[in-house]
Amino acid sequence: MKAARLADSVSTVLKGVRSSGRVPLASLLVVAGIQATPAFAQSSGTSDARTLDAISVIGTGSTRTTAAVTADEIEAQVPGVAPQQLLATLPGVNVQTTDPFGLYEFGDSMRVRGFSSNQIGVTLDGIPIETADTREGGPISRYISSENLLDASVSAGSGDVTQPSYHALGGAIRYTSIGPRGGDTWSGKASQTFGSDDLVRTFVRLDTPEWWAGGPVAYVSASRTRGGVWDLEPATQKSDHFETKIRQDFEKGHLTLGWIWNNRKDYDVQSYNSDGSLAWDIHERLTGDPETDAEHYTEWQNGRRDSLLSLGGDFMFTDSVGLKFTGYYENKHGYGIGGTPPSTATGLYEDAMAGTPGRTDIYIRDPQLYQVDSDGNYVLDADGNRIVTHVGSMTRREEIMSGDRKGVTAALSWETDSNKLEVGGWYETYDFDQVRPLYNLTDTGDLDKSVPYIVNYYDNHFSTDVTQLYVKDTLRLLDDRLTLEFGAKGLSVDRKYHGIANLDDFNSNTTRNTAKKDKDWFQPQVGASFTLAEGTEVFANYAENFSAAPRLALTAGYFNPDIKPEESKNIDVGIRTEQGNWSGYVALYHIDYQNRIIALTDPDPLVIASEIYQNVGDIKTDGAEISGMWRPAEGWRLGASLSYNKSEFKDNYYGYRDDGSGIQDVLRPSKGNEVPDSPKIMLSFNGGWEGEHFFANWDAKYTGKRYGDTMNTDRVDATFIANGSVGYKGGRDGFLGGGRVMLSVYNLFDKDDAIGAVFPNEDYGSYNLVAPRQVFASLSYDF
């Protein structure tokens, strides 16, 4: 298909989304007094008209709960907003970021129906994105700018069997980018944003016409973001991002070559207790005392650089037989530094020397830090601690991460008038290395690598091979009123590890090799949807999912080769409708989450404790969601969603505690407790008005009370955060022709003590606050 036809098709789809009205079971929403939330149209965004059909944002025709964001909702947010933040108003989704741009990745979190972001499958244009782990994986904001996003859809209960992932217990998220627009002329977009905390962001995208008649089309985009930290004034956050795609259309399909590059740097931010008080105080000023200055903000930094290269194809060999494939290669590199008090470094050094006497591979400056008596014994204070008499030069922990991930997905389809059969698979290999040495510093404050390090917390090397196969058959019966889906996937995850797993291994000069292979070759999924009347259908889905044991289970202080992989069984039922200017759905769900794996560890950032991974029982989840959108008049949209989620532990378990005489088994009474960071009630509203030139948008989210710990003793109060924006857009000509200016306000009511991200643990959690009111002004042009 010619590039101009592609541009027309994309434009038609996007205009259709904007002009059609959508919202959930209007009658139920009116009775409930709620103006429903959005769940919106998807498009594959590919160049082939056969795959450009607009799919409903509430998943019309799907056999599972599906919701998506619209182009309107994307445009309503400040340019460059974190892509995951766009999902915050969808039912069942709890997204928290330290700022709208998600610049501090360690302060961001997401949960869907009680499952964490590391238990959700994520793809971008069909490419599997690793977990949201900021070390091994990466948040979606590293891979796409929101200006390049066509849509984002969430299958909250279970992803389709075609979804490539080895940890998708709790659903799937599919992000789709806007491909090269093509056409007969050059086109593009540019935006500039300024705002609170010295935020400056620049974005540029340029689309080419056909390079020659019948030739390829392409786009390049780049962004640069610089900002500060609201509660740590001298600290900065930086991100540079680049994307490009080249697409060549053929008579039978197309090929797309893409490259994404992202480079970011940030400073760690302070963490808080559940009551909003400061838990980890990072200092803004140097004192001259290395013991105190180990907590200076310059001693806590992170950097990440990611490069993702891909080649995908979509071909229809006949009217009924098609092939899709994507090959990809990703290279990761990251670093992190953390200050360590000299007294702590000395203790680590002494432990290593005691563990392996006479070793010469480590070195510490000024080891005599403590007061000793005439017999050479340490003098202790009233609390039994050694008395520091001399503070030596600073020490600093360095962390270096690198990874190479490569894989391929492929799917062959055969479609007739009433049946579509899909057979496909995914293979990936991933090598990931992570090293954490502790160094002395030179007189100028740099890492002193001219002498051996003090200790090495760990030296980890992982190799992961993933194989997934699936088959799916879709039947359309009764004049397409009834859709039946039958599918199954098989998954094998083979992990190998070698290296120094922790400080205990380092002290005893031990290197270990461990391996764990998890597999389940039959994970069935059965679903159905039935049209009751035009625009209204019921749906039901049953799916079984499987998640491999986490990589760090191989490095645990007590490695358990018999640890079972986690599993989930999900049942979804519901009704959805689209009627003129409103649409929406109601869904009920039940999830059995089995063989839950937890790590018993110390969250203190200065301590790298031995971790113990174990299966500790099951979780039962029941819930309901109502969502929809209403367009009462031209230019208006009003949406809302209401979620009820009850996730509870079904079992007690035994945990490990060191009482001073050794590690002991201790009963942890978790049965009946709520799963941490899983609010029972979430309610969101959004809406907008758009006139000929002026426009306004708003959204608000109520997040019910949560717990930060398994024992449910560390409670977080409910929060209500509202955002809004107003602006002016020019026409084709005249004042601000082709331009758009917008003023956006986040945390409109300045809730400066509200808890945002929650990072759970057994007895207490770690928390980040929602940033106080932030204001951003942006100017953008389409050309």
Side-chain angles (χ1 to χ4, degrees):
M1 188 175 82
K2 298 294 185 183
R5 291 176 56 198
L6 169 66
D8 291 340
S9 298
V10 173
S11 175
T12 300
V13 171
L14 294 178
K15 289 177 181 177
V17 171
R18 291 184 181 181
S19 62
S20 63
R22 316 276 168 102
V23 161
L25 280 182
S27 56
L28 291 178
L29 292 173
V30 170
V31 171
I34 298 171
Q35 309 272 27
T37 91
F40 283 84
Q42 303 178 58
S43 167
S44 65
T46 65
S47 64
D48 198 313
R50 286 184 297 268
T51 60
L52 273 172
D53 297 332
I55 302 171
S56 167
V57 296
I58 58 170
T60 297
S62 173
T63 65
R64 63 185 58 81
T65 305
T66 301
V69 294
T70 64
D72 284 343
E73 293 171 288
I74 296 174
E75 279 196 351
Q77 303 297 322
V78 63
V81 66
Q84 68 268 30
Q85 185 65 37
L86 296 168
L87 309 177
T89 59
L90 297 182
V93 181
N94 180 19
V95 176
Q96 303 288 343
T97 58
T98 54
D99 61 76
F101 304 92
L103 290 176
Y104 181 59
E105 294 178 341
F106 284 99
D108 302 339
S109 69
M110 175 190 290
R111 281 190 175 266
V112 178
R113 290 185 177 178
F115 286 99
S116 73
S117 56
N118 287 330
Q119 297 172 311
I120 301 165
V122 178
T123 59
L124 172 62
D125 295 331
I127 302 170
I129 303 299
E130 260 296 327
T131 70
D133 183 297
T134 57
R135 291 180 169 89
E136 180 190 28
I140 188 63
S141 53
R142 294 187 193 176
Y143 300 96
I144 187 169
S145 297
S146 60
E147 294 94 335
N148 291 331
L149 193 62
L150 178 65
D151 64 44
S153 65
V154 178
S155 297
S158 178
D160 192 86
V161 295
T162 63
Q163 181 92 1
S165 174
Y166 55 88
H167 45 74
L169 289 175
I173 302 174
R174 296 176 185 261
Y175 294 94
T176 305
S177 68
I178 300 172
R181 290 188 172 93
D184 299 324
T185 61
W186 293 79
S187 62
K189 183 182 183 71
S191 68
Q192 183 71 57
T193 302
F194 301 92
S196 299
D197 302 314
D198 301 319
L199 189 284
V200 179
R201 183 178 185 275
T202 304
F203 171 85
V204 177
R205 170 170 169 148
L206 186 63
D207 285 79
T208 75
E210 286 187 345
W211 294 7
W212 57 80
V217 293
Y219 82 82
V220 294
S221 77
S223 68
R224 165 163 285 194
T225 307
R226 299 290 187 268
V229 179
W230 67 269
D231 64 345
L232 197 61
E233 186 174 344
T236 58
Q237 319 281 23
K238 301 177 181 180
S239 176
D240 295 314
H241 185 81
F242 178 83
E243 297 175 41
T244 184
K245 283 187 178 178
I246 303 172
R247 190 189 65 246
Q248 175 64 59
D249 295 319
F250 304 97
E251 182 180 354
K252 297 292 186 179
H254 68 271
L255 285 173
T256 302
L257 177 67
W259 183 49
I260 298 165
W261 181 85
N262 191 82
N263 188 33
R264 52 172 291 108
K265 176 184 177 181
D266 61 52
Y267 289 88
D268 283 318
V269 306
Q270 304 186 115
S271 62
Y272 295 81
N273 297 308
S274 56
D275 62 0
S277 61
L278 198 60
W280 183 29
D281 184 11
I282 304 178
H283 309 317
E284 297 182 12
R285 293 178 176 83
L286 292 169
T287 66
D289 178 1
E291 289 290 309
T292 301
D293 291 344
E295 300 298 319
H296 190 254
Y297 81 95
T298 58
E299 293 296 311
W300 296 88
Q301 301 180 38
N302 309 283
R304 303 288 186 269
R305 187 175 69 242
D306 300 87
S307 174
L308 177 61
L309 181 68
S310 63
L311 176 65
D314 188 351
F315 293 90
M316 291 295 296
F317 301 117
T318 69
D319 290 340
S320 59
V321 178
L323 172 67
K324 291 183 179 181
F325 66 87
T326 301
Y328 58 91
Y329 168 71
E330 181 177 14
N331 176 260
K332 296 173 176 287
H333 179 77
Y335 71 88
I337 62 170
T340 306
S343 58
T344 299
T346 299
L348 295 173
Y349 175 81
E350 290 174 346
D351 289 344
M353 292 300 294
T356 308
R359 64 191 306 166
T360 59
D361 60 327
I362 58 178
Y363 171 80
I364 189 168
R365 296 179 184 274
D366 303 319
Q368 294 298 323
L369 298 181
Y370 305 107
Q371 182 178 341
V372 295
D373 59 23
S374 58
D375 296 325
N377 299 316
Y378 290 112
V379 178
L380 306 180
D381 62 18
D383 296 322
N385 299 316
R386 300 174 186 177
I387 298 175
V388 177
T389 59
H390 171 70
V391 175
S393 58
M394 284 282 288
T395 59
R396 185 181 299 149
R397 181 264 298 155
E398 182 185 41
E399 180 175 24
I400 298 296
M401 295 151 285
S402 62
D404 287 288
R405 188 171 70 100
K406 45 188 177 289
V408 61
T409 66
L412 185 66
S413 63
W414 175 52
E415 187 168 8
T416 64
D417 290 340
S418 61
N419 187 68
K420 182 178 181 180
L421 178 65
E422 299 171 77
V423 179
W426 168 47
Y427 177 76
E428 177 180 285
T429 179
Y430 184 22
D431 294 318
F432 178 72
D433 304 317
Q434 186 180 16
V435 182
R436 262 195 176 189
L438 175 63
Y439 285 101
N440 295 284
L441 299 188
T442 66
D443 294 337
T444 58
D446 298 319
L447 298 176
D448 188 355
K449 296 188 177 182
S450 66
V451 297
Y453 45 64
I454 300 171
V455 294
N456 192 349
Y457 292 101
Y458 50 71
D459 189 348
N460 293 336
H461 306 273
F462 300 89
S463 176
T464 303
D465 292 318
V466 183
T467 303
Q468 178 177 307
L469 301 173
Y470 67 84
V471 59
K472 175 184 173 182
D473 191 61
T474 304
L475 292 171
R476 294 178 295 275
L477 307 173
L478 304 179
D479 295 326
D480 289 345
R481 292 183 63 194
L482 175 64
T483 299
L484 299 174
E485 284 185 356
F486 306 91
K489 64 181 177 182
L491 181 63
S492 173
V493 182
D494 188 3
R495 294 187 189 270
K496 295 181 176 63
Y497 166 81
H498 72 274
I500 301 169
N502 48 48
L503 276 171
D504 289 339
D505 282 3
F506 180 78
N507 293 345
S508 61
N509 205 15
T510 300
T511 300
R512 69 170 72 181
N513 291 276
T514 55
K516 183 78 171 65
K517 186 172 185 177
D518 294 323
K519 60 183 178 180
D520 184 346
W521 288 111
F522 184 66
Q523 300 167 66
Q525 188 170 128
V526 180
S529 66
F530 180 73
T531 301
L532 298 175
E534 184 167 350
T536 301
E537 62 186 27
V538 292
F539 62 90
N541 185 270
Y542 171 81
E544 295 183 7
N545 297 289
F546 151 98
S547 177
R551 65 180 172 89
L552 291 180
L554 278 68
T555 70
Y558 301 91
F559 171 60
N560 176 14
D562 298 320
I563 192 171
K564 298 177 181 178
E566 297 177 313
E567 299 176 354
S568 68
K569 297 179 180 178
N570 183 288
I571 298 174
D572 252 336
V573 296
I575 183 170
R576 59 171 70 98
T577 187
E578 291 186 274
Q579 302 294 330
N581 64 343
W582 60 271
S583 68
Y585 72 84
V586 176
L588 304 175
Y589 59 88
H590 171 80
I591 305 170
D592 278 328
Y593 169 20
Q594 302 170 341
N595 302 326
R596 182 174 66 104
I597 297 174
I598 66 170
L600 310 179
T601 187
D602 191 334
D604 186 335
L606 293 177
V607 176
I608 306 298
S610 295
E611 294 174 322
I612 304 168
Y613 284 79
Q614 63 183 31
N615 297 110
V616 291
D618 303 337
I619 292 173
K620 176 184 177 182
T621 298
D622 293 293
E625 297 165 353
I626 303 176
S627 174
M629 181 165 282
W630 177 36
R631 296 183 183 268
E634 183 178 357
W636 285 89
R637 59 180 176 86
L638 300 171
S641 72
L642 174 64
S643 304
Y644 172 79
N645 182 87
K646 184 180 180 181
S647 295
E648 292 184 347
F649 297 113
K650 296 175 64 176
D651 306 283
N652 297 324
Y653 67 93
Y654 280 89
Y656 296 98
R657 289 293 180 275
D658 190 344
D659 62 1
S661 61
I663 294 178
Q664 306 293 328
D665 280 351
V666 178
L667 179 66
R668 309 298 288 165
S670 59
K671 185 176 181 179
N673 288 356
E674 296 181 22
V675 173
D677 195 25
S678 299
K680 285 187 177 180
I681 300 294
M682 291 191 295
L683 177 62
S684 68
F685 300 91
N686 66 58
W689 168 79
E690 185 170 338
E692 181 180 1
H693 293 293
F694 293 96
F695 62 88
N697 300 284
W698 62 88
D699 63 82
K701 181 71 171 281
Y702 170 85
T703 303
K705 71 174 180 66
R706 299 168 282 166
Y707 291 100
D709 67 321
T710 300
M711 297 300 107
N712 285 186
T713 59
D714 203 14
R715 174 176 153 170
V716 177
D717 291 336
T719 61
F720 181 81
I721 304 297
N723 313 302
S725 64
V726 294
Y728 177 92
K729 63 175 184 177
R732 290 179 177 269
D733 303 304
F735 175 70
L736 206 64
R740 174 185 175 95
V741 62
M742 182 167 67
L743 181 70
S744 305
V745 183
Y746 282 78
N747 194 355
L748 183 64
F749 301 119
D750 198 22
K751 301 289 186 178
D752 59 0
D753 58 351
I755 297 294
V758 174
F759 305 98
N761 207 277
E762 285 191 282
D763 297 295
Y764 57 90
S766 178
Y767 308 90
N768 283 104
L769 295 184
V770 174
R773 183 188 297 121
Q774 294 183 310
V775 181
F776 303 98
S778 58
L779 173 64
S780 61
Y781 273 94
D782 292 313
F783 54 89

